Amino acid sequence: MIRASLFSLLVGVVGAALLHVIIVLALPAFTGIDAYTKLTAYDADQRFVRFRAKPDAMGFSNGDPFLRVAACLVSVAQRPVRLTAPAGPVFWSFAVFDSDSNEIFSMNDRSQAGGGLDAIIGSPEQLARIRRDNPDAVADNVLIEMPRPEGYVVIRALVPTPSQEQAARDFLDGATCEGA
């Protein structure tokens, strides 16, 4: 009798803990306050939107006084998306997220030959077609497989000193996020 009661209590506690974890993890999707949903409020389809030092109406900002940040919504439903940016700042990085804000891919300028950014985001089928039809694209671009059709890209440029501000601005202003 006591053993059955303890087992029931244990199952109840584990079940309640599991339910709470599920609710906490699912909350952003239900409330519409996840990053992807917030970014859809901008006119950011296939173009980078730069964030300022102070949070805007959606709560986005650079967040770090030494970083300049921009984001772009991407959709590979119809065709791949090509990301480009010139070489320039002391350090840059970018990350690709799906529509649930799960990080798919990230890299920085130390991983890219030539210092600039050149990447293609596509569905598995689109990237297979690119690899088959254009082998040079594989050598010249970073190919990023997107498991879901929608997502977003965040690009960051480091500004360690005020003299580097213009290089970071030029980098972000020169960044493109367009259909390939």
Side-chain angles (χ1 to χ4, degrees):
M1 176 84 169
I2 293 176
R3 186 179 293 197
S5 297
L6 286 175
F7 180 73
S8 297
L9 181 65
L10 181 64
V11 168
V13 169
V14 170
L18 184 61
L19 179 63
H20 280 82
V21 168
I22 290 169
I23 289 171
V24 167
L25 293 177
L27 197 58
F30 291 129
T31 61
I33 57 172
D34 60 300
Y36 178 78
T37 304
K38 284 181 169 183
L39 280 171
T40 59
Y42 294 93
D43 180 23
D45 289 339
Q46 297 195 352
R47 75 173 187 84
F48 280 100
V49 174
R50 281 189 25 212
F51 301 125
R52 305 291 172 221
K54 297 198 186 256
D56 60 16
M58 298 307 292
F60 289 111
S61 68
N62 286 324
D64 184 321
F66 298 109
L67 286 177
R68 302 301 173 261
V69 181
C72 173
L73 289 172
V74 295
S75 174
V76 297
Q78 302 298 321
R79 60 184 178 185
V81 174
R82 184 168 185 193
L83 304 174
T84 61
V90 174
F91 174 85
W92 60 260
S93 69
F94 82 98
V96 179
F97 299 87
D98 67 12
S99 58
D100 284 339
S101 299
N102 297 311
E103 186 173 357
I104 303 298
F105 183 86
S106 66
M107 70 175 270
N108 61 49
D109 64 326
R110 306 305 190 245
S111 305
Q112 181 75 20
L117 168 61
D118 200 350
I120 297 175
I121 304 170
S123 69
E125 297 81 17
Q126 292 165 341
L127 294 182
R129 196 173 318 116
I130 290 171
R131 286 183 183 100
R132 184 189 69 222
D133 297 343
N134 191 358
D136 293 336
V138 177
D140 297 337
N141 299 287
V142 175
L143 301 180
I144 303 163
E145 188 173 299
M146 188 90 155
R148 295 183 179 182
E150 279 85 31
Y152 62 98
V153 176
V154 176
I155 190 167
R156 300 168 197 90
L158 180 67
V159 182
T161 64
S163 65
Q164 294 293 318
E165 182 72 38
Q166 191 60 47
R169 284 184 184 170
D170 293 344
F171 174 76
L172 293 176
D173 289 342
T176 62
C177 172
E178 301 171 339

